[in-house]
Amino acid sequence: MKNPRRVINIALVVVAVLAIGAAVIAAKSGGRSSSTGNARACDAFWSWYDATGSTAPAVSAYKQATTEPLIADLYNVSVGLTGTAKGLNGNKAANAAFAQSAAGKVTGDCTNAGYPDPAA
């Protein structure tokens, strides 16, 4: 009979190789799963951008994003939308223009990250 320690060591090496392989595959997927923060953030943004949803998801989308510059650009959309809704600085038009300008950047961020506008 073979040495039990040797069998255990071989089994541990096999398990380690499988775990490392799974980690590499997960890392290589690039976070394009529909359950990632960026996917949820872009979905919320596209809902607002395509006018099929309320502004609420777009305002909080930056909280789900996981990479820059998507976080910063979505935050700027949020600031503009919040300012427009509340009339901050007494100039709703300026706030709306700021949100639209930031939205232009987010469209590129989401499209380049692999989450293009589903309505396009």
Side-chain angles (χ1 to χ4, degrees):
M1 183 169 168
K2 293 185 177 183
N3 184 349
R5 272 191 170 171
R6 185 172 179 181
V7 172
I8 291 172
N9 286 340
I10 291 172
L12 289 174
V13 168
V14 169
V15 168
V17 167
L18 291 174
I20 290 170
V24 168
I25 290 170
K28 291 255 184 199
S29 71
R32 292 205 165 93
S33 164
S34 62
S35 64
T36 66
N38 282 348
R40 290 189 305 269
C42 286
D43 284 347
F45 170 75
W46 290 125
S47 292
W48 166 76
Y49 186 82
D50 296 330
T52 59
S54 70
T55 60
V59 167
S60 60
Y62 74 92
K63 296 176 183 175
Q64 297 181 53
T66 57
T67 57
E68 293 287 347
L70 182 58
I71 295 170
D73 292 339
L74 282 169
Y75 178 77
N76 288 338
V77 170
S78 171
V79 168
L81 292 175
T82 302
T84 301
K86 294 181 179 179
L88 297 179
N89 303 328
N91 192 340
K92 289 184 179 187
N95 290 320
F98 181 74
Q100 286 298 325
S101 172
K105 293 177 182 175
V106 176
T107 59
D109 295 340
C110 287
T111 301
N112 293 337
Y115 310 109
D117 186 354

